[in-house]
Amino acid sequence: MSVGTQTRRKRTRTNTNNMVGGDGIGAESILEGMLARQSSFLQQNLRDGLNFTEGNDSGVAVDNRNEPPFIDNENAIVDIDHSRLERIGGEDDEGHEEDDDLIFIKEQPVYFASPTISGSKNYTSTTSKKFKKQRTISLPQLPHAKLLYQAMREAPRVQNNDELLHLTGSTSKTLDGNRKVNLRVIQSPSPMDNDPVYSSSVSPKAGSSVSSDSESMMDSGLNYGQNTTSHKRSFRRLSAPRLTAKLVGKKAKTKRRSNFKTDKDGHYVYQQGDVFGGNRFLVEQLLGQGTFGKVLKCYDIAGNSAIEAGTQIHTWNSTASAQPKYVAVKVIRAIDRYREAAKTELRVLQAILENDPHGQYQCLILQECFDYKNHICIVTDLLGRSVYDFMCANGVARFPGSHVQAIGKQLIRSVCFLHDLGIIHTDLKPENILLCDETCVEKSLPLDIVRTMSARRKEASGGKRKFLTNPEIKIIDFGSAVFHNEYHPPVISTRHYRAPEIVLGLGWSFPCDVWSIACVLVELVTGESLYPIHENLEHMAMMQRINGEPFPPKIVEKMFYKATHKLGNSPSDLNSTVLKHFDKNTLSLQWPEKNKKGDYVTKEKSIKRVMSSCDRLDIHISKKIRADYGEWLSINWNLTPEKNWALIRSKALNEKKHNGMVTGDLNKETFLFWYWFVDLCRKMFEFDPTKRITAKEALDHEWFSLGILDEGITCFGKF
Ligand SMILES: Nc1ncnc2c1ncn2[C@@H]1O[C@H](COP(=O)(O)OP(=O)(O)OP(=O)(O)O)[C@@H](O)[C@H]1O
């Protein structure tokens, strides 16, 4: 969303405000009121965040009800602190006219882990400007998640009709690209050698597919033929001079030996206290295990000790005052096909690093990589647990709306950035979204809710609902990411987040990420997977039910055409699990399945699962969020917001007449927020990828200009 767009939108709102009156839906007047109230919340949070008052760390939500209504942004902000926050009237430093929907907040001290690296080709820093703009009414003011997105390229990342049939990508481009990845091979020192020795260039093991180049990656940056210049971030050198024991920190002095072993599946056999990578990384904990390998929390002995000793080591991921002791090391399985995939992952990570050296676009940042005993090791920043793990350990799995929006904005912005680089992530899911900061405010849940929890959730959450104080996230796992013109495997994505074009065996491209994000957003809202299925037929039946419409004939026709003419690459089970369930004449999905006699073949259990676990999205979302807002909240996406609201009001009046009360507080702002959330999801769930909203378009969606006052906002910045 450009600054210009923001300004223009507000003008429209200001101009039409007077025309919307009384009980009308009037988004403009609602926003005005909302702006005032949210500014009040924000003011409180900013005060706490900036230590103007003692932060509330008691776990109790801040109660702003007694605060005077906050009308004048200018005065309120100036009241807080002239030196850190300013409301600027008239024209801003970009020449835009005054816009009373925006406050101008002086650049927050963004936590850059590294000393500033200037001159990067595509990096568009806002730090040169004195102030940055942020809307006050919506997201918590995340330090990294700037609300603006500076497009890298102009070309929209859309998929065309032809690509539905033919898009397979170039295998040779993938292989050529991977061939250029030269990995430094780190020799294992003697197991009994406790002195941290750093190998010089060594030959790869016999049979290893890795090339050992004397101009190694570690010395020169990944040599992908990219225009690497000296000012860009280079990899931390592993070929550091031999460090004496004196330089090595306390941890390093303890007796270490490398017991690094590989099992029959090519996995590193994890052992706590093990050291590897030339006595460099001390294994502390297993963070996760996936298809590609194991991710370990490691103590970076050399990084730390060298810094202690003032040794010049190329690093970019830490400030001078807070050098990282710990890193995450992904140890890839010592099997050729995983090694090959890891090389693509490295190229993707390198492209991200080149274009966003400061990690402003919420992608995992590569620190270095090397080859150790035939395992490619990828060293990255150590992050917090995944959004999925956070949800599992929370008394109430769903996130408050404001946090869904904050995470959604970051996700879409991040994917926009990736798409601009020609990268498709292909595996977006809550497991691959990590929290930067796990600090949270805990609130005890009523006993009747605790009683309904599973034993596991009860134990993990302690019967408490947790609210993050900072919903900042990073996207990880680029192990399945592809460059748009390189090889596209026929099946990608984790089942629950898989787009219809993939299930139907059509060509897929950037839009598949948008579908996955929509699945994630709904899951954050409801606390449950939208597609809890494991096979194609049920998956397709659910997609139709959630979208409230059948697959468009156009894409079913393309599926038949592609299969008949054997175009491109298709999933091996396409005929047996997908094609046969469609009627070739009507192009419709035959579900529940019937035999020739007209009896149902689909099992009752399966029918029940589909019918009971999902509804059309607007109904599904309405049902789930009523738990927080009351029975009055319902959204019908076939009606305009005005008609929806009129219906809600008349139902409430009726209820009041009959029962004397209405459950929950009717609130237009809340309704509008969720109405536009559903609207965005609907556009992201468009069956036809050629018509699906792009990540860039999604960033400009109405939902992102609305806010919601909930515990996500009141907990923001509390620590
Ligand atoms: N930088 C990190 N900081 C903290 N934890 C991490 C980091 N990277 C990965 N993890 C943890 O390790 C898990 C596996 O990582 P990753 O997804 O990269 O591996 P994978 O082998 O590609 O997994 P999958 O088979 O699910 O694709 C993650 O879900 C996360 O919990």
Side-chain angles (χ1 to χ4, degrees):
M1 186 190 297
S2 69
V3 173
T5 312
Q6 283 187 328
T7 309
R8 215 167 35 248
R9 275 196 179 171
K10 175 55 200 165
R11 274 182 199 292
T12 312
R13 184 175 306 148
T14 309
N15 291 342
T16 56
N17 196 26
N18 293 338
M19 298 191 295
V20 185
D23 285 333
I25 190 73
E28 316 308 334
S29 60
I30 289 167
L31 286 171
E32 290 301 324
M34 200 165 172
L35 171 65
R37 287 204 280 144
Q38 185 153 348
S39 295
S40 172
F41 274 83
L42 182 67
Q43 183 189 15
Q44 179 63 48
N45 280 335
L46 287 168
R47 276 206 195 101
D48 292 346
L50 298 172
N51 289 329
F52 291 109
T53 59
E54 284 301 310
N56 180 349
D57 57 0
S58 62
V60 181
V62 178
D63 188 339
N64 285 319
R65 281 171 298 184
N66 295 329
E67 288 209 3
F70 175 66
I71 307 294
D72 186 337
N73 285 338
E74 182 167 357
N75 294 336
I77 295 295
V78 173
D79 273 347
I80 294 173
D81 187 340
H82 286 277
S83 66
R84 297 187 71 175
L85 301 164
E86 287 184 33
R87 164 76 158 84
I88 302 176
E91 283 195 349
D92 68 293
D93 52 0
E94 288 177 358
H96 298 109
E97 286 177 46
E98 183 178 40
D99 181 343
D100 60 3
D101 192 22
L102 298 170
I103 59 162
F104 294 75
I105 299 179
K106 191 171 181 181
E107 189 80 65
Q108 291 179 31
V110 176
Y111 178 78
F112 285 147
S114 65
T116 308
I117 295 158
S118 60
S120 180
K121 191 172 57 181
N122 288 317
Y123 176 58
T124 49
S125 167
T126 56
T127 49
S128 60
K129 299 233 164 45
K130 202 175 172 196
F131 303 105
K132 74 180 163 90
K133 290 179 172 186
Q134 289 186 327
R135 276 178 183 272
T136 56
I137 57 164
S138 180
L139 306 174
Q141 310 295 297
L142 298 172
H144 278 270
K146 306 284 190 325
L147 297 185
L148 305 178
Y149 178 72
Q150 183 79 45
M152 302 244 157
R153 292 189 188 129
E154 282 310 307
R157 290 295 176 194
V158 288
Q159 189 174 345
N160 62 42
N161 279 322
D162 192 42
E163 288 173 339
L164 282 175
L165 295 176
H166 301 284
L167 204 150
T168 55
S170 159
T171 312
S172 58
K173 275 202 174 115
T174 305
L175 292 173
D176 285 351
N178 288 354
R179 232 171 262 131
K180 287 181 192 150
V181 178
N182 292 318
L183 280 162
R184 177 76 162 192
V185 180
I186 301 296
Q187 196 178 42
S188 169
S190 151
M192 302 310 291
D193 185 357
N194 293 325
D195 198 26
V197 177
Y198 296 85
S199 71
S200 55
S201 184
V202 265
S203 300
K205 277 171 50 162
S208 161
S209 58
V210 181
S211 65
S212 171
D213 194 335
S214 57
E215 284 300 309
S216 73
M217 183 183 92
M218 293 308 160
D219 288 333
S220 58
L222 277 170
N223 185 14
Y224 302 134
Q226 294 190 11
N227 180 20
T228 47
T229 49
S230 57
H231 60 253
K232 283 190 183 156
R233 278 183 181 190
S234 57
F235 285 90
R236 191 187 291 181
R237 291 164 190 264
L238 269 190
S239 53
R242 193 183 164 97
L243 299 177
T244 64
K246 201 177 147 206
L247 296 183
V248 179
K250 204 176 158 197
K251 288 210 179 209
K253 279 181 193 157
T254 58
K255 202 163 187 214
R256 302 181 316 277
R257 65 175 65 196
S258 180
N259 287 316
F260 198 100
K261 287 191 194 95
T262 304
D263 69 16
K264 63 176 175 34
D265 296 321
H267 270 297
Y268 159 57
V269 182
Y270 151 74
Q271 290 186 65
Q272 198 178 11
D274 202 359
V275 281
F276 69 98
N279 259 352
R280 167 80 181 273
F281 298 101
L282 178 63
V283 178
E284 188 135 324
Q285 189 191 327
L286 181 71
L287 292 169
Q289 173 163 343
T291 330
F292 291 84
K294 287 182 179 169
V295 182
L296 306 158
K297 176 181 174 184
C298 293
Y299 183 80
D300 182 355
I301 299 162
N304 202 44
S305 57
I307 286 149
E308 280 166 19
T311 309
Q312 188 69 39
I313 288 186
H314 289 268
T315 181
W316 52 86
N317 208 23
S318 51
T319 57
S321 58
Q323 296 294 347
K325 274 183 182 176
Y326 289 100
V327 288
V329 185
K330 187 165 176 176
V331 182
I332 302 292
R333 287 163 77 176
I335 289 178
D336 275 354
R337 68 172 183 279
Y338 294 111
R339 289 178 56 86
E340 197 60 36
K343 287 181 193 173
T344 309
E345 181 171 4
L346 280 171
R347 286 193 291 129
V348 169
L349 286 168
Q350 174 66 7
I352 292 168
L353 185 64
E354 293 271 338
N355 289 281
D356 181 24
H358 293 209
Q360 298 283 309
Y361 289 114
Q362 324 304 135
C363 292
L364 185 66
I365 291 294
L366 177 66
Q367 288 196 9
E368 57 188 72
C369 57
F370 56 91
D371 194 350
Y372 184 72
K373 296 194 173 190
N374 212 26
H375 293 266
I376 292 177
C377 297
I378 302 173
V379 186
T380 59
D381 296 351
L382 178 70
L383 299 165
R385 68 179 136 168
S386 69
V387 161
Y388 176 78
D389 288 337
F390 180 78
M391 288 167 85
C392 289
N394 201 346
V396 176
R398 57 182 187 276
F399 279 85
S402 60
H403 283 189
V404 176
Q405 194 185 48
I407 292 172
K409 182 90 184 189
Q410 293 171 80
L411 263 180
I412 296 174
R413 195 171 153 274
S414 184
V415 166
C416 212
F417 163 72
L418 289 174
H419 289 186
D420 275 358
L421 297 180
I423 296 165
I424 310 163
H425 186 285
T426 80
D427 199 14
L428 293 165
K429 56 181 176 179
E431 291 90 326
N432 287 338
I433 303 167
L434 300 195
L435 300 173
C436 297
D437 179 358
E438 295 179 28
T439 315
C440 50
V441 173
E442 293 187 338
K443 294 182 184 174
S444 294
L445 287 162
L447 268 181
D448 54 329
I449 292 186
V450 177
R451 270 191 217 112
T452 62
M453 285 181 193
S454 69
R456 209 159 69 186
R457 187 174 297 279
K458 216 182 287 178
E459 198 193 328
S461 67
K464 289 178 175 156
R465 184 169 187 184
K466 296 169 185 156
F467 299 93
L468 291 168
T469 58
N470 176 6
E472 192 181 350
I473 50 117
K474 292 265 184 205
I475 294 181
I476 63 155
D477 193 2
F478 295 89
S480 316
V482 295
F483 287 96
H484 75 110
N485 55 355
E486 296 189 5
Y487 174 67
H488 284 39
V491 183
I492 48 144
S493 305
T494 302
R495 162 70 75 184
H496 307 357
Y497 309 90
R498 190 174 293 158
E501 61 270 26
I502 301 158
V503 177
L504 299 183
L506 297 165
W508 53 266
S509 186
F510 302 100
C512 72
D513 279 343
V514 173
W515 179 281
S516 303
I517 295 175
C519 295
V520 171
L521 293 184
V522 173
E523 190 166 336
L524 299 185
V525 169
T526 65
E528 292 159 13
S529 168
L530 183 61
Y531 290 105
I533 26 82
H534 299 285
E535 54 98 8
N536 282 335
L537 181 58
E538 258 182 46
H539 194 179
M540 293 187 292
M542 277 194 185
M543 283 179 185
Q544 291 198 149
R545 197 162 156 77
I546 286 165
N547 278 15
E549 60 182 8
F551 286 103
K554 175 188 136 187
I555 66 169
V556 180
E557 203 172 10
K558 293 241 181 226
M559 173 185 74
F560 277 118
Y561 185 86
K562 193 177 171 207
T564 314
H565 294 84
K566 297 194 168 34
L567 301 174
N569 49 357
S570 295
S572 56
D573 62 350
L574 186 72
N575 280 323
S576 60
T577 66
V578 180
L579 237 98
K580 75 166 193 180
H581 297 301
F582 282 89
D583 185 313
K584 220 171 175 173
N585 297 316
T586 61
L587 301 176
S588 58
L589 181 70
Q590 302 301 293
W591 190 93
E593 252 188 315
K594 287 182 187 165
N595 60 20
K596 280 183 186 150
K597 285 190 221 156
D599 302 327
Y600 282 119
V601 176
T602 306
K603 289 193 179 118
E604 208 186 315
K605 226 167 108 184
S606 165
I607 298 176
K608 260 192 187 160
R609 203 164 31 232
V610 173
M611 302 305 279
S612 65
S613 75
C614 69
D615 270 307
R616 205 176 70 184
L617 189 69
D618 50 347
I619 302 166
H620 181 73
I621 297 286
S622 303
K623 274 185 188 166
K624 300 285 176 178
I625 56 179
R626 275 181 206 144
D628 284 333
Y629 302 103
E631 285 302 312
W632 63 270
L633 187 51
S634 73
I635 296 159
N636 180 343
W637 68 21
N638 288 326
L639 300 179
T640 61
E642 289 83 356
K643 286 199 174 138
N644 264 289
W645 183 247
L647 207 64
I648 288 172
R649 280 177 53 84
S650 73
K651 273 189 194 160
L653 280 175
N654 245 336
E655 202 184 326
K656 204 168 177 189
K657 218 155 94 187
H658 289 107
N659 305 336
M661 59 175 289
V662 183
T663 42
D665 296 333
L666 256 66
N667 185 315
K668 285 180 194 171
E669 297 157 13
T670 303
F671 160 73
L672 274 182
F673 180 88
W674 290 111
Y675 178 89
W676 289 110
F677 168 75
V678 169
D679 185 78
L680 174 60
C681 288
R682 190 183 188 186
K683 288 171 176 144
M684 295 172 93
F685 279 136
E686 163 63 55
F687 276 132
D688 183 345
T690 65
K691 294 185 181 151
R692 196 171 300 150
I693 193 171
T694 64
K696 193 146 182 283
E697 288 162 353
L699 275 181
D700 281 332
H701 187 272
E702 186 63 29
W703 184 51
F704 288 117
S705 55
L706 296 173
I708 192 159
L709 298 173
D710 59 20
E711 279 146 314
I713 298 278
T714 54
C715 291
F716 178 66
K718 306 261 172 263
F719 44 84

